[in-house]
Each structure stands twice: as C-alpha cells, then as structure tokens.
Amino acid sequence: MTLNRSLLTKIAIAVLLLAAIVAPIGQGNYITYVLTSWLVFSIAAMGLNLTLGYAGQISLAQASFMAIGAYTTALLTLAGWHWVLAMPLGLILCFGVGLLLGYPALRVKGHLLAFVTLAFNTLVFLVLRNEEWLTGGTFGLVGMPRPDFFIFKTMKQLHFYYFTLGITVFASLAMWGIVRSPWGRAFKALRENPVRAESLGVDTRRITLLAFAIGSAYGGLAGALITPLVQFIEPGSFGLAHSLRILLMVVVGGSGFFFGPFLGAGVVILLPEVLRFTEGYYLIIYSALVIVMLVFVPSGLIGLGGRLREKLWPRQQVRGDLVEGAAQK
C-alpha cells in the first residue's frame, strides 16, 4: 500500500510539473504574468507554511520579508549588480532579520506573537514609505532589469516564467529536504507539543528561531523574483493586506501539508481570474467559496482530499493483538 501511494505521489508530481511547463504555451503575456505570480507567491507561502504549518509559530509578517528581499535586490540591480549576485544578499538579510524576529516567539505565543509580527510588518512598511532617500518612498523604485544569462534572456514574459519555474522547483526540493530531515521532525514536534518536544531533547529555542529564519528567507526569495517580474515596487505592495493574503494561501491549501501552498496560491491568485466572466460578482463568489471552505474544511484543500480518499479507499485496520499473536508463533 505504501509503495503504491509513493508511486502515485511521484506520478502526481510529474503530471503537475508537466502541466506547469505546458500551461503558458500559446497564452498571452497577461496569463503568463498571472501564472508567474502564482509561482512567486507559492514560494512565499511555502516559507510561511514552514513557520506556521510545521513549526506552529504564527506570523503576519511574510510580506515584510518579501519587501526586504525585493528592495535589496532592486537597489543592487539598479546599481549594476547582476540578479544572481543581488538575490543571495537579500536572502541572507531576510534570514538574519527572521532570526531576530524569532526571539519574541521564545516568550510569547498565539495571538500575542501574531501582534508582534503584525507590528514588525507595519514597521517595515513605514520605513519603506518614509525613507525616500533609500526606497523612493511612495514613488517606489522602477526600471529594475531582468536577469540576463547570455544564451538565455528573461526579458520576454514566457522566458521569465520558465526562469521562475526553475527557481520554484529548486526551492521546493530544498523545502522537501528540510521537512524530511531531523529539523523537519523537530518542527512538527514543536508544533504538536513544545513541552514534550523539549523533554525528548529537542532544542526548542534553536528550532523556533530556525523556523522563522528559513521561512523568512523564502519570503525574501519571493520578493527577489517580484522585483524583475513587475519592474516596479512601492511600499503599498507589501502591506498587511498582502501578509494576510499569503496567510490565506497557507490556510486554504492546507497548513502543514507540503503541497498546500501551491494549491492555496492557485486559489488566491488564479481563481479570481477564472471567475472574471461573472464581471462584478466574481469577488462575491470568490469570497463566499473561501468562507464555505474554511468553515467546513478547516484543514484546507489537501485535508479535504485526504478525507475523500479515506472515504473512498479506507485503510484496512489491523488489530494489534493479532499482530502480536502472529509474531509469537
């Protein structure tokens, strides 16, 4: 059964990757742009999913880390740096700031931690808006170049989509390794019961800080990709509403599930575009669908799929006493 499920998972991943490769072919620039946005926000949601879904630490500051990554990359590329050199510096900065933001999580939990991260998001927004000498203030920054790799140029929307898809695949593989490493098991133990995890030898202090730092770095990577995608950034693009939007992606897709961020970002980014044929009613329909899903399926779309699978193909329960009796023979 395990082998079959593992094989089905690999087949599903291959099909989804093939669909992602084929999806923009023959589409216009706008559809390709929307698909690229889905990939970028999937990366940001992946980072928040690690912090919230795996480690159980509430954060409302993911958009602020996108801002740090975006502005760092933008300022350096405008100064003549190549994107490949500017992006890692943005990630390192986000990782360091994420470590610092993780310290309040060592003392406060739940809604109090949410308020701390909310205050940080507001602080970053105010700095970006008021420090015009560095960030351009409300006028923002414009004209950031897209990366050029000699034989492969990303100026065309389709080319930049495939560039972003490659980064997303790499980031996904890195996250896959993290959640299946001893760190990943420690993250889950921290989420389920911090006291028990500490009694089992888990350094909860280090793991909490690490969850914030890695999740923040993923937000910075998403910001570094937003910069050349839109080639214009301003503080309003990274306000609280966008942090809540990323949080919605994680919750809708399925918090604590690896593929949850991709499904959640697909719903939040792509579903409004699908519903545009309803004209003025598409936001009402979209909001109603999200509310109904969160009320009846709080575990998200991945959780809904799991419940349907259990009903259609229930696992066979093996009695423990029978197993012990068979072992004794």
Side-chain angles (χ1 to χ4, degrees), residues 6-24 38 161 165 169 259:
S6 175
L7 180 61
L8 288 175
T9 300
K10 292 178 180 178
I11 293 174
I13 293 174
V15 170
L16 289 174
L17 183 58
L18 180 62
I21 294 173
V22 174
W38 164 60
Y161 170 84
L165 179 60
V169 170
F259 294 102

Side-chain angles (χ1 to χ4, degrees), residues 143-163:
M144 288 74 73
R146 289 187 174 179
D148 184 350
F149 299 96
F150 303 109
I151 61 173
F152 180 72
K153 302 180 185 297
T154 62
M155 279 305 298
K156 291 184 178 180
Q157 204 70 268
L158 184 62
H159 293 173
F160 191 80
Y161 170 84
Y162 286 120
F163 169 71

Side-chain angles (χ1 to χ4, degrees), residues 16 32 34 88 97 126 155 168 182 213 220 222 273 283 311 323:
L16 289 174
T32 306
V34 172
V97 175
L126 292 175
M155 279 305 298
T168 305
E273 301 299 328
L283 283 177
K311 286 186 176 182
V323 174

Side-chain angles (χ1 to χ4, degrees), residues 228-311:
L229 172 62
V230 298
Q231 298 181 297
F232 170 75
I233 54 173
E234 52 91 22
S237 301
F238 307 101
L240 174 60
H242 290 274
S243 285
L244 294 175
R245 194 182 185 197
I246 299 171
L247 177 62
L248 180 63
M249 294 175 188
V250 174
V251 174
V252 167
S255 178
F257 295 98
F258 182 81
F259 294 102
F262 297 95
L263 285 177
V267 170
V268 176
I269 300 294
L270 302 180
L271 185 58
E273 301 299 328
V274 174
L275 294 175
R276 283 194 184 276
F277 72 92
T278 61
E279 297 179 353
Y281 297 98
Y282 83 96
L283 283 177
I284 298 175
I285 298 172
Y286 167 72
S287 302
L289 289 174
V290 171
I291 291 172
V292 169
M293 196 206 70
L294 292 179
V295 169
F296 293 100
V297 193
S299 56
L301 293 174
I302 297 287
L304 175 61
R307 287 167 58 180
L308 292 175
R309 186 180 63 243
E310 289 298 330
K311 286 186 176 182

Side-chain angles (χ1 to χ4, degrees), residues 2 12 25 27 31 37 42 51 69 73 88 93 102 110 128 178 180 203 229 312 316:
T2 304
I25 297 177
Q27 304 294 335
I31 297 298
S37 298
S42 293
T51 306
T73 305
L93 182 58
L128 295 178
I178 289 172
R180 277 155 181 76
D203 188 348
L229 172 62
L312 296 174
Q316 293 182 352

Side-chain angles (χ1 to χ4, degrees), residues 184-201:
R185 291 190 289 271
F187 289 145
K188 295 175 185 177
L190 178 64
R191 175 192 64 192
E192 298 299 331
N193 193 320
V195 177
R196 182 182 299 173
E198 192 167 8
S199 68
L200 293 174

